[in-house]
Amino acid sequence: MDKPVTTPERPPLDPAFIELLRALFGERLHLTEAMCLQHGGSEAHFATMPPDAVVFARSTEEVVELVKLCTAHDVPIIPYGAGTSIEGNTLAVRGGVSVNLSEMDAILAVNAEDLDCTVQAGCRREQLNEYLRDQGLFFPIDPGANATIGGMASTRASGTNAVRYGTMREAILSLRVVTPDGRDIRTARRARKSAAGYDLTRLMVGAEGTLGIITEVTLRLHGIPEQISSAVCGFETLQGAVDTVVQAIQIGVPLARVEILDDMQIKAVNLFSKLDLPETTHLFFEFHGSPAHVAEQIETVSELAAMNGGGQFQWSNLPEERARLWKARHEAYYAAVALRPGSVGWATDVCVPISRLAECVAETKRDLQTSTVPATILGHVGDGNFHVVFAMNPDDPAERAEVEAINGRLVERALAMDGTCTGEHGIGLGKQKYLEAELGEAVDLMRMIKTALDPKDLFNPGKIFAR
Amino acid sequence: MDKPVTTPERPPLDPAFIELLRALFGERLHLTEAMCLQHGGSEAHFATMPPDAVVFARSTEEVVELVKLCTAHDVPIIPYGAGTSIEGNTLAVRGGVSVNLSEMDAILAVNAEDLDCTVQAGCRREQLNEYLRDQGLFFPIDPGANATIGGMASTRASGTNAVRYGTMREAILSLRVVTPDGRDIRTARRARKSAAGYDLTRLMVGAEGTLGIITEVTLRLHGIPEQISSAVCGFETLQGAVDTVVQAIQIGVPLARVEILDDMQIKAVNLFSKLDLPETTHLFFEFHGSPAHVAEQIETVSELAAMNGGGQFQWSNLPEERARLWKARHEAYYAAVALRPGSVGWATDVCVPISRLAECVAETKRDLQTSTVPATILGHVGDGNFHVVFAMNPDDPAERAEVEAINGRLVERALAMDGTCTGEHGIGLGKQKYLEAELGEAVDLMRMIKTALDPKDLFNPGKIFAR
């Protein structure tokens, strides 16, 4: 079960360079195999690709010095947060220095009146929300893991609230970034909107550290809703579940969360979380607003559900009961992997226009039925985004090839429906072969930008596309 | 009152180049002085800067051919839509060819289930909304003028609905763009979200045609709300008006529109539109939703207004009555200019964090009181964005210098509050001197991107920043 380690042949780091690193970082420079392997690993199915050194940065100024040093010595730099990305986004494919930002986790400012805050890149999303709770504020973006805000920015993460509150693309007002030429820039001011020049904020969001190292993030926040209510509903058909969501969005119901779990996923959570949901497609809802408005939303959506073959609409606005209702969703990934003891999870995602979602999921389910590898489907149905989680035997090359083939067909299917090869995980290493199919010559523009900003190709090299 | 014409010394277009243009565009090539002056003019106070030729394009393929031709002959290309931009964004500072896209105004697809549509760049926003109305859909972004969608994308426009529905940054799913090297690319698929590589869509939005010529735009749409209600309320103080909006947003009232008009602006509209509003700061609201939810929003906001020194809350949900209530807002710009017969309007805008808005507006009003030039203030208060409209005598250089100085102090004030020098008009020519003050070395990154994508500096040269 140990992951293979891939270390392409390369010369060791120059001892003189190492001494300069040590002068900068002291005991926060790590050269041990264990530390390098940890930073060259990932939560996903990729081989481990360790860097040659790891440093723990404590300030933007230190990152600037590191960048100047690495650039002078032609050494790659890979920014590292919580290590929770799942397309191999932080693997050190050409070695170099992994710069761990997790100690830069300060919450620098909360501007309650402006509904924004500024945090260092290593701040984690749960830490931020705990800090904000007493002020009646929250930050909505919630990928499955307790990721760092910098990492979430770099992969353009989203999660279950995106249907109402958007993704990291919409959530970020401004970034502090260290560029490959060692500049320490702010991409924008704190105003809610601006028409001042190129949108460098959005250029850095989703660039996976290939154009700059994000050290600070200014985020939009939201007031905690007066009332939060949750609901769960099983459906006779997948189409009925999707139609319910499409109709609700069209008539303007501001769904805060709406998640779909297929029958296999429900089976998995019944086993894992000791639940007894009927083994059919389910929708998990959350509604935010004033009590009267939430009640109205629930009434509207439960009527739509009934018209589309939905069963009993279980709902609650009590926190414990809400947690119980959503337990199946929260534990979905672990439940999927637990379907097969000894397996590892291979999670992939695509996103399609919502009118094609039911068809895309149905075709994918038919494809999964041809496979011996257990797999579940769950998704952020309001966005047209869904995940397939395979419980794969990592030691069986044939099985790995089978999963790769199914993943390839899934992406082709999504692209044929005018969708994208990744809704929220980024390209990393795992989706590179599909990017060109998705965007064609537009990828050349990305290469031109990369070459202009990082001519030595030292910032997280080998990610998103080959140079 | 005729505007001065600025034509920097430059050689005339090569006759051989003109013949190649004629072969491509036939009668849609225009070389007359009248046509060139029209395309080198603007709605604003800038000198006219005519191109050497104007062509009317009818397809993306024609734009590709034009770009190849201009690049081969080192001739600048300036994309032109409705000509309604107000920072000199389309002036031909180095001559060249103005490519008018207004005949490319087709609505190519409306996907009602997906709440999106694709239009050619020359489609105008009112045309689009008339087309959508029968399907129960609307496109919310509404700059004052009936601009083209391509032009709105290029200046990152917004308008009165941005507080609820966002700006062109959020409204665009994908673009078709002709790049300086003659590629015809799509920046993204039609999925609602994607984590696939650099965000080329957002890079082109707000780039003012300096990185590519937008020929098609895929837009997010919204369902027409079941109920729309409007309200108007006068306030004892500016601070009270702003506090009402801040508090409403903080408790989660989804204001669809909220506009502020200062006492001078109210005076102007009373004169121009024959109204009799009390000459004090007013807020103009619009609420969208189900009847019950709209009633709840109005109740909440009218209570907040009363607590903050607001007067009687006049409201209506009947279309004619709503139009009457909003008349003062809709005619605000013309009313401001009409304050002084024979004047031209000089409109500027800034955007600050909303907590600083009252202070920024109050200081600006004090500054305006030192001037002899009549000026009004109106703004999208929910975003922290406001406009100053000067009714300037264009033939008086001293007055022009005075307006420039006030504008400079306004921008400095906004920047000191962590705001931006332009909320929704773009940089064009008018705000260039402030961009560096706002973003510092980040502007060098913009230059690097410009040089990488347009090495000959032929795409709308001289805009946003000097090379």
Side-chain angles (χ1 to χ4, degrees), chain A residues 111-116 136-137 155-159 162-164 167 169-170 172-173 179 181 183-200 202-208 210-211 220 222-224 226 243 246 249-252 254 290-293 296 349 351-356 380 382-385 414-427 435 437-439 441-450 452-454 464-465, chain B residues 111-116 136-137 155-159 162-164 167 169-170 172-173 179 181 183-200 202-208 210-211 220 222-224 226 243 246 249-252 254 290-293 296 349 351-356 380 382-385 414-427 435 437-439 441-450 452-454 464-465:
Chain A
N111 305 296
E113 269 206 313
D114 296 318
L115 294 174
D116 70 39
L137 299 172
T155 52
R156 204 180 294 126
S158 46
V163 60
R164 166 109 169 227
T167 72
R169 185 172 73 193
E170 288 80 28
I172 295 178
L173 288 174
T179 63
D181 54 3
R183 290 170 209 260
D184 170 8
I185 63 161
R186 267 182 80 185
T187 57
R189 295 302 189 100
R190 205 159 57 77
R192 289 255 141 178
K193 64 185 198 189
S194 172
Y198 303 164
D199 191 343
L200 298 178
R202 253 51 59 181
L203 183 65
M204 294 293 168
V205 172
E208 303 187 16
T210 62
L211 299 178
R220 298 177 78 134
H222 298 268
I224 294 175
E226 191 183 354
D243 285 349
V246 170
I249 290 173
Q250 274 190 321
I251 62 174
S290 66
H293 189 217
E296 187 187 34
D349 86 314
C351 186
V352 295
I354 195 170
S355 64
R356 308 299 297 272
H380 312 311
D383 307 317
N385 179 210
L415 294 182
M417 295 175 176
D418 216 353
T420 177
C421 68
T422 177
E424 54 181 17
H425 296 166
I427 296 291
L435 183 62
E438 177 168 336
L439 293 175
E441 287 190 75
V443 182
D444 290 331
L445 255 76
M446 297 183 196
R447 285 196 182 89
M448 289 158 78
I449 293 165
K450 169 73 172 171
L453 300 191
D454 182 19
I464 302 183
F465 44 72
Chain B
N111 305 295
E113 269 207 310
D114 296 318
L115 293 173
D116 70 40
L137 299 172
T155 52
R156 204 180 293 125
S158 45
V163 60
R164 166 110 171 227
T167 72
R169 185 172 73 193
E170 288 80 28
I172 295 178
L173 288 172
T179 63
D181 55 2
R183 291 170 210 261
D184 170 8
I185 62 162
R186 266 182 78 185
T187 57
R189 295 301 188 102
R190 205 160 55 79
R192 288 252 141 179
K193 65 186 198 189
S194 172
Y198 304 163
D199 191 342
L200 298 177
R202 253 51 59 181
L203 183 65
M204 294 292 169
V205 172
E208 304 187 16
T210 63
L211 299 178
R220 298 177 79 134
H222 298 268
I224 294 175
E226 191 183 351
D243 285 349
V246 170
I249 291 173
Q250 274 191 322
I251 62 174
S290 66
H293 189 217
E296 188 186 33
D349 85 315
C351 186
V352 296
I354 194 171
S355 65
R356 309 299 298 273
H380 313 310
D383 307 318
N385 179 209
L415 294 182
M417 295 176 176
D418 216 354
T420 177
C421 69
T422 177
E424 55 182 16
H425 296 167
I427 296 291
L435 183 63
E438 177 168 338
L439 293 175
E441 288 191 73
V443 182
D444 290 331
L445 255 76
M446 298 184 196
R447 286 197 182 88
M448 290 158 78
I449 294 165
K450 169 72 172 171
L453 299 191
D454 182 20
I464 303 183
F465 44 71

Side-chain angles (χ1 to χ4, degrees), chain A residues 298-375:
Chain A
I298 291 174
E299 190 188 335
T300 304
V301 176
S302 60
E303 281 170 16
L304 290 174
M307 282 172 11
N308 287 296
Q312 196 190 351
F313 207 75
Q314 298 180 55
W315 71 277
S316 173
N317 51 30
L318 302 173
E320 316 77 53
E321 185 63 10
R322 287 198 290 113
R324 192 190 63 78
L325 284 175
W326 269 70
K327 187 175 167 69
R329 173 61 188 89
H330 288 309
E331 297 181 341
Y333 177 79
Y334 303 102
V337 180
L339 275 176
R340 190 184 192 187
S343 68
V344 300
W346 174 322
T348 184
D349 86 314
V350 294
C351 186
V352 295
I354 195 170
S355 64
R356 308 299 297 272
L357 182 66
E359 184 185 353
C360 194
V361 171
E363 283 182 23
T364 304
K365 284 182 70 67
R366 279 195 289 278
D367 198 17
L368 293 176
Q369 280 155 9
T370 67
S371 165
T372 56
V373 185

Side-chain angles (χ1 to χ4, degrees), chain B residues 16-35:
Chain B
F17 171 79
I18 292 177
E19 283 321 300
L20 291 166
L21 270 187
R22 197 184 311 278
L24 261 178
F25 291 95
E27 293 188 347
R28 290 180 283 120
L29 165 67
H30 299 267
L31 300 164
T32 61
E33 189 183 9
M35 190 64 101

